[in-house]
Amino acid sequence: GAVVSQHPSRVICKSGTSVKIECRSLDFQATTMFWYRQFPKKSLMLMATSNEGSKATYEQGVEKDKFLINHASLTLSTLTVTSAHPEDSSFYICSAYRGRWTTDTQYFGPGTRLTVL
Amino acid sequence: AQSVAQPEDQVNVAEGNPLTVKCTYSVSGNPYLFWYVQYPNRGLQFLLKYITGDNLVKGSYGFEAEFNKSQTSFHLKKPSALVSDSALYFCAVRGEMDSNYQLIWGAGTKLIIKP
């Protein structure tokens, strides 16, 4: 299957700092990527849809000024958590669309565990 | 409203026994259905999908799923469970009329296979 990487896999930071998470599609071009947040009780929450060359579309309740998303190329999307606070601690997962049709499959990165002290 | 239900929070199966993880859905038009598996502290791995054609879909690691239109279900199955199948399983759906690529996700089912 298609490969999606995320970096870093784990990050610990102090409250008030910003953290950047990278999501890369390694063997395919992804015009659309998604960012999810997963809470300890397992549910996936879609945060935003990232489209190459355009602004991200955020889900209701997600602060776009806090969670900055940039999709600068067909293989890279970044999520920056600005002025992180302990409540931002979570598991962040990205996914990428391999094709251009709605029947195509989303492929997921391995996730990034963010801990804000 | 579009939705996915995974009615079982956890499923326990003895190794070697058949397993079923249930999923029902509600979408406009025909559904595109997906199963993903997540191992601890890992991202999701694609298992299989149903778009059209045969109702029985075969996927990775010996898993299969059966699409039942009348029951709006897409249950995941495996004839003989392995301890290594223990993980979190997510069902997801998108309606054919949807113009975006977003998936509607179930809450997940924790599968525990006991030796």
Side-chain angles (χ1 to χ4, degrees), chain A residues 1, chain B residues 19 35-39 42-48 57-65 76-89 111:
Chain B
L19 69 88
W35 274 103
Y36 287 84
V37 59
Q38 184 181 29
Y39 297 100
R42 303 289 299 277
L44 279 66
Q45 293 181 34
F46 169 71
L47 276 179
L48 51 81
V57 179
K58 293 187 183 297
S60 306
Y61 311 121
F63 284 93
E64 58 189 27
L76 182 69
K77 300 181 180 182
K78 187 172 182 179
S80 179
L82 300 172
V83 173
S84 57
D85 293 330
S86 298
L88 191 55
Y89 290 80
L111 178 63

Side-chain angles (χ1 to χ4, degrees), chain A residues 2-111:
Chain A
V3 179
V4 176
S5 71
Q6 266 183 256
H7 179 78
S9 59
R10 186 179 295 269
V11 57
I12 301 172
C13 69
K14 293 182 179 180
S15 185
T17 60
S18 294
V19 174
K20 180 186 282 188
I21 302 170
E22 293 186 349
C23 177
R24 293 181 185 272
S25 55
L26 298 184
D27 55 354
F28 65 100
Q29 293 184 331
T31 55
T32 301
M33 290 183 171
F34 296 96
W35 286 96
Y36 293 87
R37 182 174 177 176
Q38 189 172 30
F39 295 95
K41 290 236 171 186
K42 78 194 175 187
S43 62
L44 281 173
M45 184 192 83
L46 178 64
M47 298 175 66
T49 302
S50 171
N51 294 298
E52 186 266 337
S54 64
K55 290 184 178 180
T57 304
Y58 290 82
E59 295 301 301
Q60 192 173 7
V62 177
E63 299 176 59
K64 59 182 178 182
D65 294 331
K66 180 168 186 63
F67 298 99
L68 300 178
I69 292 172
N70 183 277
H71 195 155
S73 77
L74 287 171
T75 60
L76 174 63
S77 176
T78 60
L79 168 68
T80 301
V81 183
T82 61
S83 187
H85 289 95
E87 58 266 30
D88 298 325
S89 297
S90 194
F91 193 54
Y92 292 88
I93 312 175
C94 73
S95 71
Y97 243 106
R98 186 172 186 169
R100 294 181 178 271
W101 309 103
T102 56
T103 55
D104 289 323
T105 302
Q106 278 189 41
Y107 292 95
F108 284 79

Side-chain angles (χ1 to χ4, degrees), chain B residues 17 24 35 37 45 53 55 65 95 102 112:
Chain B
N17 283 0
T24 58
W35 274 103
V37 59
Q45 293 181 34
N55 290 340
Q102 291 181 13
I112 298 176

Side-chain angles (χ1 to χ4, degrees), chain B residues 18-74:
Chain B
L19 69 88
T20 299
V21 183
K22 295 179 181 178
C23 173
T24 58
Y25 65 90
S26 175
V27 293
S28 300
N30 291 319
Y32 301 146
L33 294 150
F34 301 79
W35 274 103
Y36 287 84
V37 59
Q38 184 181 29
Y39 297 100
N41 297 309
R42 303 289 299 277
L44 279 66
Q45 293 181 34
F46 169 71
L47 276 179
L48 51 81
K49 67 180 178 182
Y50 171 83
I51 304 300
T52 187
D54 290 341
N55 290 340
L56 186 63
V57 179
K58 293 187 183 297
S60 306
Y61 311 121
F63 284 93
E64 58 189 27
E66 187 166 12
F67 170 61
N68 188 315
K69 189 172 184 177
S70 62
Q71 296 185 4
T72 61
S73 67
F74 190 55

